[in-house]
Amino acid sequence: MEESFLLMLSNLLHLHNSLDPTTSLISTTSTAAITTGTSSPLQSPSSPTSLLSSSSPAPLLFLTLAALLSFLASSKTPKSKSPSPPQSPDNSGTPYSVSAFRALSTDHIWSLDPPLRDAQWRSLYGLSYPVFTTVVDKLKPFIAASNLSLPSDYAVAMVLSRLAHGYSAKTLASRYSLEPYLISKITNMVTRLLATKLYAEFVKIPVSRSRLIETTQAFEELTSLPNICGAIDGSPVKIHNLRQSSDQMNNSYRCKYGYNSVLLQVVADHKKIFWDVCVKAPGGTSDAAHLRDSLLYNRLISGDVVWDKVINVRGHHVRPYIVGDWCYPLLSFLMTPFSPNGMGTPAQNLFDGMLMKGRSVVVDAIGLLKRRWKILQDLNVDLNHAPQTIVACCVLHNLCQIAKEPEPEPSKEPDEGGPIPRVMETEKSFHYYGESLRQALADDLHQRLSSR
């Protein structure tokens, strides 16, 4: 019996004795034992017969109340400990909780020196605190409209930590005390917003004259070749645990380096800022095929991109062009090397060396991208969300480059290889002019550098 019931029974006994002292039901000693809960020898109560034969109404009243209390005590279900609810992200006991994040981002963060503050933020989320707040401010209206139950800055921080460290949804779920499906849902929402709402602002073709002049001059200082406005390259992004029902589909995702992937194509400027990003093909696709399927190619072929900077080189009108390796077709707007093995003339070999020097900018940019956002080293999201996740990381990379964030040592990309692509029928006019233009650039370069 519970202590409260024993106390009620003791009080009832005292009440009975005061009403009818001639028929004491229990001795004082027993009453004290009940009240205190200590064990003592029970005293012999009066017999039931004497109780019923008493002329006082008190015994009958006592028996009635005692029976009622006994029934209530026996029928009362014991309190069982309810299972503890899932740990809330507001639980301040974990360093990944909302309260811990809020304390770090509001109170503690401003007490630190800026270099220490930003270094701490980069170690957690891959970028400095000012760049982080820029991302949050730009995404906050869209996240708020989604009725997400978490604060916008907390949701962005959670996704950035996943992108920066390559965590799986399951790993983050245990850290943030959330369900894995919710981590995946938030990741998909934030990366989609980065890839759509911020792409146009931070990934731009350099068509303005001031930016075009800055870019071409910087490339000319690096390579001695005029009017280069960007460098193009493709890179497979490994997909974690790709599952497909068809062997043919599996083969299409297996890249030339032997693992399942999707293909990333980027064009970078001299600052290693991407001004075009395309993720449309499985990893087994060639760089040339991926280029021809891209929006950039269609815009360049159709003349939709107008670069207002034309120079004359040995009677050739040279518009701004991009440079790539021999895996891409030679076109008037895309210069590639004469030979992958240095078997050309001295002028051609010199041109190839300088062109590849310019191309190294995009190789370094991709290496920086994969080092900053380690999730791209083994992409652990659903295949349907892989393109937007990769593009989101490219947007974040540009933000870091624009803000002049420290550059980590870039991861090394494997050496390129593969056959020189054949020229499509629709490209022949661009290819023939590209051949003439490339030779003119090579001869001009050789003459200029030889006369120094």
Side-chain angles (χ1 to χ4, degrees), residues 174-202:
S174 63
R175 291 191 175 193
Y176 286 86
S177 301
L178 296 170
E179 293 295 328
Y181 84 90
L182 187 56
I183 297 290
S184 295
K185 179 180 177 182
I186 297 171
T187 301
N188 295 338
M189 177 185 66
V190 172
T191 55
R192 176 177 50 81
L193 291 175
L194 285 167
T196 55
K197 303 301 182 182
L198 299 193
Y199 182 90
E201 182 176 355
F202 293 102

Side-chain angles (χ1 to χ4, degrees), residues 197-215:
K197 303 301 182 182
L198 299 193
Y199 182 90
E201 182 176 355
F202 293 102
V203 183
K204 294 180 179 178
I205 297 176
V207 291
S208 68
R209 186 162 181 81
S210 59
R211 186 182 171 200
L212 198 55
I213 291 175
E214 177 193 356
T215 303

Side-chain angles (χ1 to χ4, degrees), residues 249-286:
M249 291 187 70
N250 274 332
N251 290 334
S252 70
Y253 282 92
R254 188 166 296 277
C255 70
K256 54 189 173 184
Y257 305 114
Y259 53 82
N260 290 327
S261 63
V262 292
L263 193 57
L264 165 66
Q265 173 188 288
V266 290
V267 183
D269 68 11
H270 60 291
K271 294 179 179 178
K272 304 169 194 170
I273 296 174
F274 302 129
W275 57 253
D276 186 77
V277 179
C278 179
V279 189
K280 294 185 68 175
T285 309
S286 69

Side-chain angles (χ1 to χ4, degrees), residues 122-123 126-128 164 271-272 361 363-374 377 396-398 400-401 404-412:
R122 286 188 201 99
S123 69
L127 33 72
S128 66
K271 294 179 179 178
K272 304 169 194 170
V361 170
V363 175
D364 289 345
I366 293 173
L368 273 177
L369 171 74
K370 292 187 176 181
R371 180 57 61 90
R372 276 187 174 131
W373 310 107
K374 293 183 177 62
Q377 297 176 15
L396 293 170
H397 166 87
N398 277 8
C400 291
Q401 290 302 106
K404 298 182 178 178
E405 291 279 274
E407 294 183 359
E409 187 69 24
S411 60
K412 190 178 185 323

Side-chain angles (χ1 to χ4, degrees), residues 342-368:
M343 298 298 290
T345 67
Q348 291 174 346
N349 290 339
L350 177 62
F351 174 88
D352 287 355
M354 290 303 186
L355 182 143
M356 294 302 283
K357 195 173 181 180
R359 175 189 172 270
S360 67
V361 170
V362 71
V363 175
D364 289 345
I366 293 173
L368 273 177

Side-chain angles (χ1 to χ4, degrees), residues 6-38:
L6 294 176
L7 184 60
M8 292 170 62
L9 182 59
S10 172
N11 292 336
L12 185 59
L13 292 175
H14 284 295
L15 175 63
H16 167 268
N17 289 340
S18 63
L19 292 175
D20 187 9
T22 61
T23 56
S24 178
L25 294 173
I26 196 165
S27 68
T28 305
T29 305
S30 297
T31 305
I34 293 175
T35 305
T36 61
T38 59

Side-chain angles (χ1 to χ4, degrees), residues 122-125 160-167 372 374-375:
R122 286 188 201 99
S123 69
L124 294 172
Y125 309 117
L160 290 181
S161 68
R162 183 177 183 188
L163 301 180
H165 298 282
Y167 297 138
R372 276 187 174 131
K374 293 183 177 62
I375 195 171

Side-chain angles (χ1 to χ4, degrees), residues 53-162:
S53 62
S54 171
S55 59
S56 170
L60 186 58
L61 174 63
F62 169 78
L63 288 176
T64 304
L65 292 176
L68 177 61
L69 290 174
S70 178
F71 171 77
L72 292 175
S74 61
S75 62
K76 186 177 180 181
T77 57
K79 289 183 180 179
S80 60
K81 284 189 176 182
S82 59
S84 57
Q87 192 178 16
S88 167
D90 290 317
N91 188 337
S92 59
T94 168
Y96 300 97
S97 65
V98 172
S99 56
F101 171 77
R102 189 66 66 239
L104 176 64
S105 62
T106 56
D107 301 330
H108 176 62
I109 200 71
W110 296 111
S111 66
L112 299 175
D113 291 333
L116 181 60
R117 173 199 69 192
D118 293 337
Q120 181 176 4
W121 217 257
R122 286 188 201 99
S123 69
L124 294 172
Y125 309 117
L127 33 72
S128 66
Y129 186 70
V131 181
F132 170 81
T133 57
T134 298
V135 175
V136 172
D137 289 344
K138 290 184 177 297
L139 296 186
K140 192 171 184 178
F142 306 106
I143 295 176
S146 69
N147 297 321
L148 184 67
S149 58
L150 293 174
S152 299
D153 53 352
Y154 185 71
V156 171
M158 185 190 308
V159 174
L160 290 181
S161 68
R162 183 177 183 188

